[in-house]
Amino acid sequence: MTEEVAVLKAREIASHVLAPSAGQNDKVGRFSTDAIAALGESGLLGLLLPVDFGGAGLGPARLRL
């Protein structure tokens, strides 16, 4: 996954999954399981993992949001 693809996926998840329920989730102090599922399905949970371990291999120095 490239840096650009990661940013696009993150923005899409933020607007379509996180934002609609953010207010209610904040009120009750929870993080959406739908968000975790969407992040996992998109590959974003593995951004920092090395490619050898199934991640994207994009270390913190490579990510610039």
Side-chain angles (χ1 to χ4, degrees), residues 36-63:
I36 295 294
L39 291 168
E41 291 167 10
S42 71
L44 291 175
L45 289 180
L47 280 180
L48 302 178
L49 292 174
V51 175
D52 294 347
F53 294 104
L58 296 177
R62 301 253 337 255
L63 292 174

Side-chain angles (χ1 to χ4, degrees), residues 8-9 13 17-18 25 30 37 39-41 45 48-49 51 60:
L8 288 173
K9 287 182 177 190
I13 291 169
V17 180
L18 295 173
N25 286 338
R30 82 174 160 232
L39 291 168
E41 291 167 10
L45 289 180
L48 302 178
L49 292 174
V51 175

Side-chain angles (χ1 to χ4, degrees), residues 20-42:
S21 58
Q24 183 61 29
N25 286 338
D26 286 349
K27 284 181 185 175
V28 297
R30 82 174 160 232
F31 193 82
S32 166
T33 55
D34 292 336
I36 295 294
L39 291 168
E41 291 167 10
S42 71

